[in-house]
Each structure stands twice: as C-alpha cells, then as structure tokens.
C-alpha cells in the first residue's frame, strides 16, 4: 500500500547522513532544537512507566532518555551511525532489532524515521517489540512548516537536517493506525524559521507562543506519543512478570556497563 501524505518522491537518505546529522546537533541551530526536544521529552517521558526503555538510533550526543523513570534503558545504533559519547547497548539495523517480541515498555524514535530507507519497517519493528499498551515516542521534522520550505531549497546540497526525508504528521499517524496504535499525545514546536543568527532568533521568540496558539500545525518539529493497542481476544501478558527478557537469543543481554545513561 502506498501512502501519499508528505513527500512520496523524496530520495532515500544515505547512511552518511546520520553522521552529518550528529555534527549538525552541535551547531547553533541544532543546539536550539535539541534544547526544545529535551524539554518536550522531560514533560512526557516521566509519565511512561515500565521495566525497559529502548532508543532506536542516536543522532545526537545527548541522553534523550535521561528524564525517563525507567531504570533499564538501552540505545541501539547501526554501525554506520557512530555513537559519539553515547554508549550503545548493541549495534543493530532499526528494521531488524535483536529484541524479543512484546518485551519493551517504551520505544523512542528521535528523527530515526527521516534517515531510514524503510521508515514504515522501523515502525513495524517498534510495534513488534513493544508490550501491549506500551508506548512509542516519535520526534520528527514537519515538511509543512518554515523548516519544510528551507528544505525545499537546501535538500539538494546534502546537508543535515535538510537531506533527511521529512515525514508529515498525517503520514506518521496513518502508519501508526495501520499498525494498531492509538495516538495519545501530539505536539508541534519551533515555529521560528531555522536561522543561525542568535539576535534575530531571540527577537522572533514571540513566534513560539503565537504559533502554539494560532497555527500549531506549522511547527518545524513535532512529537507524537502513541500506545500499542491489542484486539480484545488477544491475551495480554501480565505486567507483574519482572523477569521479562528484553534481548533475544541472537545476542547477549546488555550489561549495566553498556547502558547509555546509568551513571
């Protein structure tokens, strides 16, 4: 089935784009966006409970799961992606995770879908590893925004984040619905144009308040939290099974020293 929301004809991002995106997050504009994304996650992650949290892909050096109350937190990255200061739990393709089915409580996809050739396949894997009533948290760039306009001009230069495939909220929500998810939270932010001049950006700060109130669909970035629903006839594994395994037999379970942010 083809989905026509967003930019269906976009080129597939190359593996090197992940390394470029990591470097972009260290620049002024990237740091501003990262601060806003971490603030959004800090509001939402503490309300998502469970035993295991999994971040698929790591395009920044920041610990994006730091605000989660879940103590067992693992980052899975591809070998081509690099790790920066984040210590990965394992190397893995995002669409073929070495993780047991129905074993994870929270999955975080922080701009992972924009830089994958099969983003729908990544979501299918997230659905597979999540327990019933588990949550997926998605950070993405909005193609229908000032950021999207910048991308139309700059995407051919191959620079991040413009070289990524921006996926619209409508497309993501369509995929989530097909996989049996229910969207429980949807937010847009960063309504200012993606400029690098600090003085100009500070003067345009009013756009954040105005944008959230008057044109929320035009934020340059968005966050979605969706819950995995199951059919009424599908048995639900008891949540009190604390011994639930996270990793399949294909790889050893990550030790405490391999966690990305257990100090």
């Amino acid at each position: 089935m083809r989905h026509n929301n967003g930019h269906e004809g976009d080129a597939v991002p190359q593996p090197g784009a992940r390394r470029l995106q990591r470097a972009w997050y260290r620049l002024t504009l990237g740091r501003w966006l990262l601060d806003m994304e971490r603030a959004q996650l800090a509001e939402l992650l503490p309300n998502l409970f469970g035993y295991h949290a999994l971040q698929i892909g790591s395009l920044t050096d920041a610990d994006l799961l730091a605000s989660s109350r879940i103590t067992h937190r693992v980052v899975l990255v591809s070998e081509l992606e690099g790790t920066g200061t984040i210590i990965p739990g394992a190397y893995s393709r995002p669409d073929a995770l070495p993780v047991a089915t129905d074993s994870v409580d929270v999955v975080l996809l922080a701009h992972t879908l924009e830089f994958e050739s099969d983003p729908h396949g990544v979501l299918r894997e997230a659905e597979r590893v999540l327990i019933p009533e588990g949550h997926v948290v998605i950070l993405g760039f909005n193609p229908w925004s000032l950021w999207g306009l910048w991308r139309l001009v700059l995407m051919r230069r191959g620079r991040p984040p413009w070289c990524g495939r921006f996926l619209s909220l409508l497309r993501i929500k369509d995929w989530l619905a097909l996989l049996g998810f229910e969207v429980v939270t949807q937010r847009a932010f960063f309504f200012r144009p993606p400029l690098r001049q600090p003085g100009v950006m500070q003067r345009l700060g009013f756009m954040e308040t105005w944008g959230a109130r008057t044109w929320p669909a035009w934020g340059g970035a968005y966050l979605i939290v969706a819950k995995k629903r199951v059919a009424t006839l599908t048995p639900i594994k008891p949540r009190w099974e604390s011994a639930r395994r996270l990793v399949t037999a294909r790889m050893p379970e990550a030790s405490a020293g391999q966690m990305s942010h257990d100090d």
Side-chain angles (χ1 to χ4, degrees), residues 3-4 12 25 35 54 56 59 65 71 75 111 122 130 146 150 153 161-162 167 182 184-185 198-199 212 247 256:
H3 304 269
N4 295 320
V12 175
Y25 265 110
D35 287 343
L54 176 66
I56 302 175
L59 296 178
L65 287 172
T71 56
V75 177
H111 299 289
V122 177
L130 277 171
L146 292 175
W150 254 250
V153 176
W162 322 114
L167 300 167
E182 175 191 355
V184 295
T185 301
V247 183

Side-chain angles (χ1 to χ4, degrees), residues 73-235:
R73 306 188 293 262
V74 178
V75 177
L76 295 183
V77 301
S78 68
E79 293 187 49
L80 295 176
E81 190 174 306
T83 59
T85 59
I86 298 295
I87 301 175
Y91 292 97
S92 169
R93 283 176 45 190
D95 59 351
L97 302 175
V99 178
T101 299
D102 297 341
S103 63
V104 179
D105 299 274
V106 176
V107 170
L108 173 61
L109 300 171
H111 299 289
T112 306
L113 302 180
E114 283 101 330
F115 295 95
E116 288 300 320
S117 60
D118 183 15
H120 189 263
V122 177
L123 278 181
R124 283 197 304 268
E125 272 294 271
E127 187 276 336
R128 180 185 68 80
V129 303
L130 277 171
I131 66 167
E133 307 296 311
H135 293 84
V136 61
V137 181
I138 302 171
L139 286 169
F141 292 111
N142 182 11
W144 311 117
S145 65
L146 292 175
W147 286 63
L149 291 177
W150 254 250
R151 178 178 177 272
L152 291 177
V153 176
L154 300 175
M155 63 181 292
R156 297 187 182 279
R157 299 184 183 181
R159 298 176 182 174
W162 322 114
C163 58
R165 178 165 46 184
F166 287 19
L167 300 167
S168 70
L169 274 168
L170 288 176
R171 183 188 288 191
I172 296 297
K173 291 167 69 175
D174 182 28
W175 287 346
L176 289 171
L178 290 173
L179 292 170
F181 283 95
E182 175 191 355
V183 175
V184 295
T185 301
Q186 172 184 319
R187 296 182 180 181
F189 50 95
F190 214 129
F191 294 88
R192 286 170 287 180
L195 304 175
R196 293 179 293 178
Q197 294 79 9
V200 176
M201 294 294 282
Q202 290 178 0
R203 288 193 292 271
L204 294 177
F206 69 92
M207 296 182 68
E208 299 301 326
T209 302
W210 281 18
R213 293 178 179 176
T214 60
W215 56 84
W218 288 83
Y222 57 77
L223 181 146
I224 297 176
V225 180
K227 180 183 291 187
K228 176 180 174 178
R229 293 300 191 185
V230 293
T232 55
L233 297 180
T234 301

